Amino acid sequence: MIRRRTTLWIGGATVVALAAGGVIAATPALAATVTQVAVSQAGYSATGLKVGSIVVDGNLAPGASCRILQGTTVAVPACTLTDAGTVWGDHVYTVDFSDLTTLGEDYALEVDGIASPPFAIRDNVWAGYLDEMTAFYRLQRSGVATADAYPDGYSSIAPSAKIFHGPGHLDDAASENGTVHYDLTGGWYDAGDYGIYGGNQWVGGNIAISYLRYGDTPAVAFDNDANGVPDLVDEARFGSEYLLRMWDAFGGAFWDVKGSGGFQHPDKHTDGIVGTKDDRRISGYGVGGSAKAAGTLAATARAVDKALADGAIPSADVAEWQAFSAQARAGAEGFYSYADTHRADPLGGYSTTRGGIDNSLLFAEVELHLLTGDTSYRDAAESTIAATDFSILSNTNYWDLAPLSMAELYPAATPTAQGQIHAYLEKQLDYFLSSTDDTPYGVVNQFKNFGVNEPHVSYVADALRYYELFGDERALRAVQRGLYWVFGNNPWGTSWVSGVGEKSVKFLHTRLDEDAQNQAGTGVVVPGALVSGPNARDPLDVRSASPWYVDRPVWQDSGQQWRYNEYSVSIEAGLFSALFGLTAVGDAPWSAGTAPAARNVTSPRIGDEVTGDVTVFAESGLDAPALGPNWSPMTVAGGVATGVVNVDSAAPFTNTRVDVRGTQTDGSQVYSSTHYTVAPPLPTPQSPLLYDGFGKDGLFGVQGYTWTNWYNNHAGVGSVTNTTVDGRTVGRFFQNPATAASQAKFQPWHHAADASGYRYLSVTMRSPSPNLRLRIEVSDADSNHRVTGNAPIAVSSTWNTYSFDLAAFPGLDRSQAKIVFWLQQTADTDGELFVDDVSFTNQATGTAPTLTAISHTSGSLTTGDDVTVQATYTDADGQAPHKVQLVLDGVVHDMAPVDPSDTVVTDGAVYAVTGRWVKGVHSYSVRTTDTTSAVVTSATTTGVVVQ
């Protein structure tokens, strides 16, 4: 993981220390160290854009060396380092070496003696990874043995031997009540959990479309399984055969088939025998899957027809493929008719929510028109397009199929619809281009808690299709930069495509890896699998750096928050399309065109903690500046645009993205984004920290997962469910012991809480079981403490709040508190414990502290000046502050003692923080608490101007 500096930045400055004589002095500069030299580990095309990034923990010294090696030979003796400023807490420099066109392997970019992973330069680097794209889908096939789907040597990057398995789930699927069996074998497992979902059935159409768009390029029409049929057509047909089984079973309705089991190969999950109890059952009916099935079947029929027309099907098989095309067409028309007449039905999981069923049907209407020539499908599609407003909420394809569908329809659309399509897709490109210039990495600035790569590569694929339609070279340039991000040009220097690059992701979160929960496991390679990548935060550490990524194994995770290393058939789709498209594009020019004007959000910065009214500052210079998501007009003064967002209603540690946009003189809109974290309240008696309220609230509960029965000592079983008891949302902890010695261990997975500043663990609970006894343990990384005492306690049959004093355990690091419940019965009888909430709390004592002598650096201030805010903290009880904090425009910054040796606060102690403030008009206050009284906040100082 990239090394992070521990200093606090306010617009580029740091917390200060006291120099001799009481003068505020900046922290001495550290010698800069290169922590990452990042490149595209997939390599670069000879005539393409070539960029790399250098991550440094400070400013590089003048004259820092930069060169490109090939093996031990110096290929380029000097290169230009461009300062990109501070990005995500580290200084970043970029290198453009597009002029290097000499083909070869084993190149490396070296800066100050630190070398990047090796990379190649090839005529068309993307053509070398196409077999991994189809290999990925073949390895996700259900109902067949891996060796049958993946012949030996199929792709240039081989799968790990341990992911090969026999045919799985041959008994799919039973009805919801288990009384009827339907033949639903086949299809692709969506991800590593072996579910098959209606909402992702569009991906078969995406494969077929790739053949339709690029199949005339010889490198795209490969046949690595040597059956005489292009592999793209083979794979589209495999996916469509599953859809036809769904049609045969239900006549248009679409169902999910779920059920994951443990970390075992799929052939071990069920016995494969129809009619036994382990048959997976259908669930999650959704008409969105029906519409997407229609689109995929129509696209597949088109792809088969093209292969037949091109002579790409062996002559002995032509009649059979013609018959399949007719089946696919009939199925497409049938699924469409069903979805069209059931528009009010549930959309289903993983289905389109932007635009509802109309969005899913748009995909079907476009593909059916292109297949049949029936203008009624085109008219319906164009009607939907005319009513579609541009939005940038998300571009994950299962949420929004409009861009793909519009690009497909454009050549066959009416002139009016062509104008509407062009305008819509141009707005999307403007967003993509201006969002990706927020950082030097070319990534869409959409960090959430499911990784950024899926929306990012969806935008990349859409941008490439825009280039193909309209020839905008800016789009082609952005596509290349965007792919370099996923192949390693990022702050972690990690290729998130399995098997591609020296430092590619190892710990794919898939049940194909039967060693995933083995601490000795080394991970697996699933060729070409793209994982979802960086999150807004570490799901195990709400105070982690942002954005965050670590390639760590499943056994280190909490609950289902493994998703940063999860792959899926949907995550893969954008990468799949882009690599086939770039292979077909070849050496097309990419350098022309003017990039959108930069419009950067200067505050808050990514990773900042905020509270109350948060002022968003952005560079001005564009017309009609507006603040998302509702595009409220911003105020412009002194060349700065400002707007206010209130976060009072958001839960602590919520990660929120805010977008700012402006309009260029040509009418196009440009965007900039940032994301911030809602600060937790300071620990006081009035602000307990809810850990789990068992209603999807609290630090752990908000993740939506229940606690787990981790272990049963001396046999017996346990379980946890969230339910409602006495009108309260509660956790029901249940134990069925084998004997009175049985103990059931329950944990909120591996989750730890930062309970700094809180003295008590408070649990509101009751037990209807007189024999039940409870032991609660709280541990940190090094120690474990029985907070209920040495003997388990009985729990009242009526609701009570039990508070346990954590101060009794001085060795406990409360910033890493992990909670464990143990249930034990005094006899061999079942026991139930109902828990309403688990919180960390304080009790009120003494008097509140005071804050006086609030001041800031006076005079005329510029963005190059250090601004110091200081305050005097006084507490008559002699209690030190938990924290003294500057709240600057809603952004929270910890202040430090000016004299750390002065620990007597009865006569006052001075706290200060120094930083360079962004351009604009600022307001601030100072707040503190001693944890035993309410928060004390100073009056707000307003009108501090920084030029």
Side-chain angles (χ1 to χ4, degrees):
M1 180 180 175
I2 187 169
R3 185 162 70 103
R4 297 284 181 184
R5 300 182 71 182
T6 57
T7 49
L8 170 69
W9 291 82
I10 308 175
T14 140
V15 172
V16 298
L18 184 70
V23 177
I24 299 295
T27 303
L30 301 173
T33 300
V34 174
T35 61
Q36 200 75 249
V37 179
V39 295
S40 166
Q41 295 175 50
Y44 303 87
S45 292
T47 61
L49 172 71
K50 303 178 189 70
V51 292
S53 302
I54 298 87
V55 182
V56 189
D57 63 359
N59 293 307
L60 281 174
S65 66
C66 177
R67 61 182 185 170
I68 297 176
L69 306 176
Q70 187 177 22
T72 59
T73 301
V74 177
V76 178
C79 44
T80 301
L81 292 165
T82 301
D83 190 343
T86 301
V87 183
W88 302 335
D90 288 287
H91 212 109
V92 179
Y93 297 80
T94 62
V95 175
D96 186 323
F97 52 101
S98 300
D99 290 341
L100 176 60
T101 59
T102 304
L103 304 183
E105 307 293 312
D106 200 27
Y107 282 105
L109 173 63
E110 182 191 87
V111 176
D112 264 6
I114 305 299
S116 72
F119 61 88
I121 297 178
R122 300 177 183 140
D123 270 330
N124 188 325
V125 72
W126 312 111
Y129 298 107
L130 300 187
D131 52 7
E132 278 73 42
M133 295 297 96
T134 51
F136 168 81
Y137 282 95
R138 285 175 175 249
L139 293 166
Q140 291 300 112
R141 287 186 181 185
S142 172
V144 298
T146 308
D148 294 336
Y150 181 95
D152 186 42
Y154 178 87
S155 60
S156 53
I157 296 172
S160 295
K162 61 183 176 181
I163 73 166
F164 283 85
H165 56 79
H169 300 109
L170 296 177
D171 42 12
D172 278 351
S175 60
E176 287 186 292
N177 61 11
T179 61
V180 179
H181 181 265
Y182 304 102
D183 178 11
L184 294 178
T185 55
W188 297 293
Y189 295 125
D190 176 73
D193 59 4
Y194 303 144
I196 302 176
Y197 302 98
N200 274 340
Q201 295 310 314
W202 66 275
V203 300
N206 188 66
I207 294 172
I209 288 167
S210 296
Y211 180 74
L212 288 160
R213 297 179 78 92
Y214 315 121
D216 292 335
T217 300
V220 170
F222 61 89
D223 176 25
N224 283 10
D225 64 1
N227 70 348
V229 178
D231 287 356
L232 284 173
V233 181
D234 278 334
E235 208 57 37
R237 174 170 178 169
F238 180 83
S240 291
E241 286 171 341
Y242 179 77
L243 307 184
L244 290 173
R245 289 190 186 94
M246 189 71 69
W247 170 260
D248 289 342
F250 302 108
F254 214 100
W255 296 82
D256 298 336
V257 180
K258 304 176 184 176
S260 55
F263 281 83
Q264 297 174 310
H265 286 164
D267 50 312
K268 299 175 184 177
H269 279 194
T270 67
D271 60 16
I273 301 171
V274 171
T276 56
K277 289 195 301 183
D278 65 3
D279 293 3
R280 301 199 300 183
R281 300 186 183 189
I282 62 172
S283 62
Y285 164 74
V287 70
S290 306
K292 292 178 181 182
T296 284
L297 286 168
T300 299
R302 292 178 60 214
V304 170
D305 291 350
K306 172 180 169 56
L308 288 164
D310 292 347
I313 303 294
S315 57
D317 299 330
V318 165
E320 192 270 335
W321 279 87
Q322 288 173 331
F324 175 77
S325 175
Q327 283 183 289
R329 173 173 173 159
E333 293 172 330
F335 269 121
Y336 177 81
S337 178
Y338 179 90
D340 187 38
T341 56
H342 289 78
R343 288 173 179 257
D345 285 8
L347 278 171
Y350 290 101
S351 204
T352 307
T353 56
R354 290 182 60 190
I357 188 60
D358 288 346
N359 192 299
S360 297
L361 284 170
L362 174 63
F363 177 54
E365 288 158 354
V366 167
E367 293 305 317
L368 279 164
H369 171 66
L370 296 176
L371 172 66
T372 67
D374 187 336
T375 57
S376 65
Y377 291 122
R378 185 193 64 191
D379 292 346
E382 292 187 353
S383 177
T384 297
I385 291 168
T388 301
D389 293 328
F390 177 71
S391 173
I392 62 164
L393 294 177
S394 172
N395 197 55
T396 303
N397 279 125
Y398 54 66
W399 301 132
D400 188 2
L401 282 168
L404 171 62
S405 303
M406 290 184 192
E408 278 283 280
L409 181 62
Y410 183 85
T414 62
T416 297
Q418 284 185 329
Q420 293 166 341
I421 291 170
H422 193 173
Y424 185 98
L425 297 181
E426 186 175 33
K427 288 179 180 178
Q428 186 191 47
L429 180 68
D430 289 339
Y431 173 71
F432 178 59
L433 296 178
S434 58
S435 178
T436 55
D437 71 12
D438 284 359
T439 76
Y441 301 114
V443 61
V444 169
N445 198 354
Q446 276 198 20
F447 293 93
K448 302 173 184 175
N449 286 321
F450 189 78
V452 74
N453 288 342
E454 182 168 20
H456 175 66
V457 296
S458 292
Y459 276 114
V460 165
D462 289 335
L464 182 58
R465 285 186 282 263
Y466 185 90
Y467 166 77
E468 293 164 3
L469 289 173
F470 307 114
D472 191 330
E473 293 182 24
R474 301 176 306 161
L476 186 55
R477 181 165 61 251
V479 166
Q480 295 176 81
R481 291 178 70 228
L483 288 181
Y484 299 156
W485 161 268
V486 299
F487 284 111
N489 185 39
N490 53 66
W492 302 272
T494 297
S495 168
W496 289 302
V497 183
S498 181
V500 179
E502 180 181 79
K503 188 182 175 185
S504 63
V505 57
K506 302 298 182 188
F507 294 106
L508 302 177
H509 290 170
T510 171
R511 297 171 197 275
L512 292 175
D513 182 4
E514 295 185 315
D515 292 329
Q517 293 180 310
N518 181 346
Q519 296 190 23
T522 57
V524 293
V525 172
V526 177
L530 171 65
V531 301
S532 55
N535 280 353
R537 295 277 183 176
D538 180 353
L540 296 180
D541 181 5
V542 293
R543 294 189 181 277
S544 63
S546 183
W548 169 91
Y549 177 80
V550 171
D551 183 21
R552 70 185 179 203
V554 172
W555 59 265
Q556 292 182 346
D557 275 298
S558 175
Q560 297 298 312
Q561 294 303 315
W562 63 3
R563 294 178 296 178
Y564 51 87
N565 263 3
E566 187 171 13
Y567 62 77
S568 77
V569 293
S570 176
I571 294 171
E572 193 77 9
L575 179 67
F576 188 100
S577 299
L579 294 193
F580 280 96
L582 282 175
T583 298
V585 164
D587 59 359
W590 50 265
S591 59
T594 302
R599 180 178 184 77
N600 294 324
V601 175
T602 56
S603 181
R605 292 188 170 203
I606 289 177
D608 279 347
E609 290 193 349
V610 300
T611 187
D613 287 331
V614 182
T615 301
V616 178
F617 293 79
E619 296 171 345
S620 188
L622 298 172
D623 294 335
L627 184 64
N630 298 320
W631 304 121
S632 305
M634 301 176 75
T635 300
V636 179
V640 177
T642 58
V644 176
V645 177
N646 183 272
V647 300
D648 286 338
S649 62
F653 300 111
T654 298
N655 296 298
T656 301
R657 190 178 101 235
V658 63
D659 299 304
V660 170
R661 78 178 183 195
T663 304
Q664 300 188 107
T665 55
D666 64 358
S668 62
Q669 292 176 326
V670 296
Y671 300 83
S672 183
S673 303
T674 189
H675 64 258
Y676 50 75
T677 302
V678 178
L682 288 173
T684 71
Q686 294 78 22
S687 54
L689 181 63
L690 179 64
Y691 182 72
D692 197 348
F694 300 96
K696 296 187 177 181
D697 51 352
L699 287 184
F700 175 76
V702 75
Q703 299 184 48
Y705 302 107
T706 60
W707 295 39
T708 185
N709 175 216
W710 217 232
Y711 172 68
N712 291 284
N713 190 24
H714 300 299
V717 295
S719 64
V720 188
T721 53
N722 288 355
T723 186
T724 301
V725 174
D726 302 332
R728 305 175 184 225
T729 58
V730 304
R732 176 184 178 265
F733 293 74
F734 172 79
Q735 183 192 18
N736 171 224
T739 70
S742 299
Q743 298 173 317
K745 180 181 182 181
F746 301 92
Q747 281 184 275
W749 292 81
H750 298 292
H751 194 265
D754 182 356
S756 302
Y758 287 97
R759 179 167 178 173
Y760 301 96
L761 172 65
S762 296
V763 183
T764 301
M765 56 185 167
R766 78 173 184 89
S767 172
S769 308
N771 290 328
L772 181 138
R773 297 295 181 265
L774 170 67
R775 183 171 83 245
I776 299 177
E777 297 175 353
V778 180
S779 63
D780 56 24
D782 303 310
S783 61
N784 185 66
H785 307 275
R786 296 184 176 186
V787 300
T788 47
N790 291 328
I793 64 171
V795 179
S796 171
S797 61
T798 60
W799 290 106
N800 281 282
T801 298
Y802 297 75
S803 292
F804 306 99
D805 189 356
L806 301 180
F809 310 97
L812 175 65
D813 179 359
R814 289 178 232 175
S815 70
Q816 303 181 58
K818 291 186 177 182
I819 304 170
V820 179
F821 285 7
W822 287 92
L823 295 192
Q824 184 172 5
Q825 313 304 316
T826 59
D828 183 9
T829 58
D830 292 351
E832 285 183 304
L833 175 71
F834 302 136
V835 182
D836 186 23
D837 72 53
V838 179
S839 297
F840 295 97
T841 61
N842 286 325
Q843 294 182 3
T845 61
T847 58
T850 62
L851 290 170
T852 58
I854 313 295
S855 68
H856 67 273
T857 302
S858 61
S860 178
L861 301 173
T862 71
T863 56
D865 292 328
D866 288 335
V867 181
T868 298
V869 174
Q870 63 181 28
T872 299
Y873 172 93
T874 307
D875 189 281
D877 303 319
Q879 290 182 273
H882 171 67
K883 286 183 178 180
V884 180
Q885 295 179 324
L886 168 67
V887 181
L888 175 63
D889 306 307
V891 179
V892 178
H893 304 281
D894 290 344
M895 302 173 74
V898 169
D899 181 0
S901 66
D902 181 8
T903 58
V904 178
V905 297
T906 52
D907 61 350
V910 179
Y911 283 73
V913 63
T914 293
R916 292 182 179 178
W917 295 7
V918 302
K919 185 177 181 179
V921 181
H922 299 271
S923 61
Y924 72 87
S925 62
V926 178
R927 68 179 188 176
T928 191
T929 182
D930 59 6
T931 75
T932 61
S933 57
V935 172
V936 175
T937 303
S938 72
T940 300
T941 300
T942 60
V944 183
V945 178
V946 175
Q947 298 292 339

